[in-house]
Amino acid sequence: MPAMTGKRGLTCSKRRCFESELSHRFMLLIIKNTEAVTPQSSGVRDILIAAEKIAHIEDHIELPLSLAETIDGTGLIAVPGFIDGHVHITGGGGEGGFHTRTPELLVSDAVRGGITTIVGCLGTDGTTRSLAGLLAKARGLEAEGISTFICSGSYGVPLQTITGSIEKDLILIDKVIGVGEIALSDHRSSQPSIDEISRIAAEARRGGMLAGKSGVVNVHLGDGPRGLQFLERIIAETEIPSSQFLPTHINRNRKLFESAVGFAQRGGYVDFTTSTVPHFLDDGEIKCSTALRQMLESGVNVNQISFSSDGQGSMPDFDASGMLKGLTVGRVTSLWEEVRDAVLIEKIPLETALRVITLNPAKLLHLRRKGEIRPGYDADIVLLKKDSLTIDSVISRGKVLMRHGDLLAKGTFE
Ligand code: FWO
Ligand code: ZN
């Protein structure tokens, strides 16, 4: 077909391919007419994404349609991409022997769960799981489209590190943002002294400070009687602030939860684990959605609360004598499921419940440009169906990874 020459000399077909090349090359994406909860409720907006960033949020944005890929946001709610601060991305478990080592994370599970940022960590097994492997997997997930960070260490003290020191890991390894999960009040911990924990927190704090990172100490709480005592004493007896610690699994039993309410009322941050199994709930674990309502009713500010999934971590079931009865694997998809239940069952407003997996972890973990739909921030956006609050689409750093429930980008071997 003879190429027609438009008035600017570009042939139409050439201009169209140029423009589509432009939109492809510059990843111009516009989400039209969507309700936006950023996590503040912001009404119906148009959201323009340029390259990997959110460029504009306006009532109306008009662009020549050939310049930008367009998503019709009618009937959808745009929320910030979810942040899961505690995932065993290289697998965990092993508490029942080698055959109980759990599998590593598939990126498709994260995308299906609306998770666009993950913090990877090691757990019980800091021997056959390594920080080198954790860093490699984090980089692999990043190449597959989501944003990742890691924590140095594992359950055990002294901590496993990459460089030989907590401070150097934080200062020299870009993806390292903190340490953990360090086990306390658990029969699988190293039974560390309070001085050992103080020194770890001091090094993490100083390393984080020098690296412009959070240096968060992610503390695994088991079912042991000492509960949060070590953390309460360190905060009372040293200069280390409570914000240096993020105690997790605090919904695992009623006694620990009650002490965590006090810890939070005194300004501490607390993290609930969304992965669970029915008999844990029968045995006294508090479902995250319920725990959130109860903690808010106790007067704790929602900004001090986060959810994380413990995805791919083992959910071991020990009897009273510490014998393993069985174990299952945590799921990253439980993260949104629990926030959705908090809205639909516990009647917590979406813009409140959403904070525990967006703004709050972003702030506590110092994840810049994450956790909000805001110009200049990474274009991590989840589109929820307005009626069911199920996940329709997932955009990570400006790339559409799932659309109408269909994965557009699978993991390398999926
Ligand atoms: C929790 C991770 C636990 C692993 O207590 O800590 O074991 O290393 O994979 N999971 N040990 C699960 C409870 C909160 C239910 C981990 C696990
Ligand atoms: Zn744990």
Side-chain angles (χ1 to χ4, degrees), residues 202-217:
E203 262 206 79
R205 178 172 178 76
R206 204 173 43 238
M209 205 179 278
L210 294 169
K213 298 174 180 173
S214 74
V216 66
V217 181

Side-chain angles (χ1 to χ4, degrees), residues 86 88 155 181 220 248-249 310:
H86 187 126
H88 296 268
Y155 266 35
E181 53 171 329
H220 158 111
T248 189
H249 312 322
D310 206 11

Side-chain angles (χ1 to χ4, degrees), residues 169-323:
D169 275 17
L170 278 156
I171 295 169
L172 301 179
I173 315 280
D174 290 352
K175 277 195 180 292
V176 172
I177 57 160
V179 297
E181 53 171 329
I182 300 170
L184 287 183
S185 307
D186 194 299
H187 61 106
R188 295 161 291 176
S189 86
S190 303
Q191 302 303 327
S193 70
I194 196 162
D195 288 344
E196 284 176 299
I197 300 298
S198 298
R199 260 193 290 284
I200 287 168
E203 262 206 79
R205 178 172 178 76
R206 204 173 43 238
M209 205 179 278
L210 294 169
K213 298 174 180 173
S214 74
V216 66
V217 181
N218 177 359
V219 179
H220 158 111
L221 273 307
D223 288 306
R226 285 170 294 182
L228 289 163
Q229 276 172 30
F230 272 29
L231 298 191
E232 297 277 18
R233 276 189 51 197
I234 292 170
I235 292 160
E237 296 165 16
T238 74
E239 297 75 22
I240 296 169
S242 58
S243 57
Q244 204 65 39
F245 299 101
L246 184 59
T248 189
H249 312 322
I250 55 103
N251 56 307
R252 68 184 305 148
N253 66 55
R254 175 60 60 185
K255 183 165 173 286
L256 185 59
F257 178 75
E258 295 306 337
S259 61
V261 170
F263 184 79
Q265 284 170 335
R266 288 186 291 279
Y269 290 84
V270 290
D271 186 65
F272 303 176
T273 298
T274 55
S275 289
T276 187
V277 288
H279 64 272
F280 283 2
L281 297 170
D282 299 341
D283 286 356
E285 182 180 277
I286 307 161
K287 189 176 183 299
C288 277
S289 51
T290 313
L292 178 59
R293 177 175 51 74
Q294 292 178 359
M295 195 161 268
L296 294 176
E297 286 171 349
S298 307
V300 173
N301 186 316
V302 68
N303 295 339
Q304 294 166 242
I305 302 168
S306 58
F307 282 9
S308 62
S309 71
D310 206 11
Q312 299 319 113
S314 64
M315 308 276 124
D317 187 12
F318 293 105
D319 65 18
S321 65
M323 286 306 291

